[in-house]
Amino acid sequence: AQTVTQSQPEMSVQEAETVTLSCTYDTSESDYYLFWYKQPPSRQMILVIRQEAYKQQNATENRFSVNFQKAAKSFSLKISDSQLGDAAMYFCAPGTSYGKLTFGQGTILTVHP
Amino acid sequence: DTAVSQTPKYLVTQMGNDKSIKCEQNLGHDTMYWYKQDSKKFLKIMFSYNNKELIINETVPNRFSPKSPDKAHLNLHINSLELGDSAVYFCASSQETAYEQYFGPGTRLTVT
């Protein structure tokens, strides 16, 4: 079983600044993966970044990076040089090896010009 | 080219009716999924098929039945619709079960 907690219902950031979204999880799986997805007002679910739990190196994808602390079961998302187009709801989601994603409650990110 | 497509995008129907939502992916993926997102944006997996075989079947009423005619298609049929079925339903696919999932645009179902 997996559980996810995103403790920040809402966050805001100034354009060009950096923001970090928090996520903690619990899992009984030994082999699992972690994802961040964003959902803009268009409602499309868009993959932001993926992390294999067996890898110590933190994943990065352009302006997006994660801070993965396996022992603490923490998986935060850092967005650098924030842009207006980053405004969305962000979901943290641990996933099992058989494809079951468990989504957090989401964090609404507002980007101010 | 749309990678994961769903039809229809919007569906308004009355209680008691039966409806279907279709999903197609052109990514060549082996695994497809159905998710339900409620009014509070909570997203939960319903079903998953890998090579046309059901591998995830969460606690979902029997009124919901997935059908996978081939690897590229996964349809969702809902019988005797209830008010509580109103939600956005997302289809997704992945290359293998442990890989990232790509989502369709969603189908907003409204039951009146």
Side-chain angles (χ1 to χ4, degrees):
Chain A
Q2 297 179 111
T3 59
V4 191
T5 300
Q6 293 180 246
S7 58
Q8 306 153 317
E10 296 183 34
M11 291 284 284
S12 64
V13 64
Q14 290 293 131
E15 207 174 357
E17 297 293 309
T18 296
V19 65
T20 298
L21 308 184
S22 302
C23 173
T24 57
Y25 65 93
D26 199 2
T27 182
S28 56
E29 305 286 327
S30 56
D31 182 18
Y32 61 96
Y33 305 80
L34 297 146
F35 303 88
W36 278 96
Y37 280 86
K38 67 183 266 191
Q39 187 177 38
S42 67
R43 88 168 179 233
Q44 177 71 52
M45 292 291 291
I46 301 166
L47 175 70
V48 175
I49 203 163
R50 173 179 183 260
Q51 171 83 43
E52 290 95 338
Y54 63 85
K55 285 188 177 178
Q56 291 187 338
Q57 187 173 4
N58 288 324
T60 62
E61 195 69 46
N62 300 318
R63 297 182 294 106
F64 298 88
S65 61
V66 298
N67 182 3
F68 175 45
Q69 303 287 329
K70 190 172 183 177
K73 294 183 178 166
S74 170
F75 182 59
S76 60
L77 175 70
K78 185 171 86 170
I79 307 173
S80 304
D81 187 25
S82 296
Q83 300 176 0
L84 294 177
D86 295 333
M89 179 169 265
Y90 285 78
F91 293 95
C92 172
T96 68
S97 59
Y98 53 90
K100 180 178 176 180
L101 295 186
T102 301
F103 284 84
Q105 310 93 314
T107 297
I108 299 173
L109 178 66
T110 302
V111 182
H112 297 289
Chain B
D1 285 344
T2 304
V4 183
S5 59
Q6 294 179 228
T7 52
K9 286 195 172 59
Y10 297 92
L11 185 52
V12 181
T13 188
Q14 291 185 327
M15 283 175 57
N17 284 349
D18 301 340
K19 290 294 179 185
S20 291
I21 305 171
K22 295 186 176 180
C23 177
E24 177 181 3
Q25 54 95 4
N26 62 6
L27 297 167
H29 288 169
D30 288 335
T31 310
M32 296 185 72
Y33 311 80
W34 277 110
Y35 288 86
K36 178 181 180 181
Q37 186 174 42
D38 64 22
S39 58
K40 295 184 178 177
K41 302 286 191 180
F42 181 63
L43 198 63
K44 188 168 168 31
I45 192 166
M46 300 172 70
F47 304 102
S48 168
Y49 271 76
N50 178 262
N51 283 317
K52 294 172 58 181
E53 182 184 344
L54 182 66
I55 56 170
I56 296 175
N57 186 1
E58 290 294 289
T59 307
V60 175
N62 291 337
R63 300 181 293 102
F64 290 79
S65 55
K67 281 203 171 67
S68 181
D70 55 56
K71 276 175 32 173
H73 296 85
L74 180 62
N75 303 322
L76 182 66
H77 188 75
I78 315 169
N79 290 327
S80 304
L81 277 154
E82 300 177 357
L83 292 176
D85 298 332
S86 295
V88 178
Y89 292 85
F90 285 97
C91 176
S93 72
S94 63
Q95 184 178 353
E96 293 179 19
T97 54
Y99 282 63
E100 52 270 26
Q101 297 179 18
Y102 293 90
F103 283 75
T107 295
R108 180 177 292 281
L109 171 65
T110 303
V111 182
T112 61

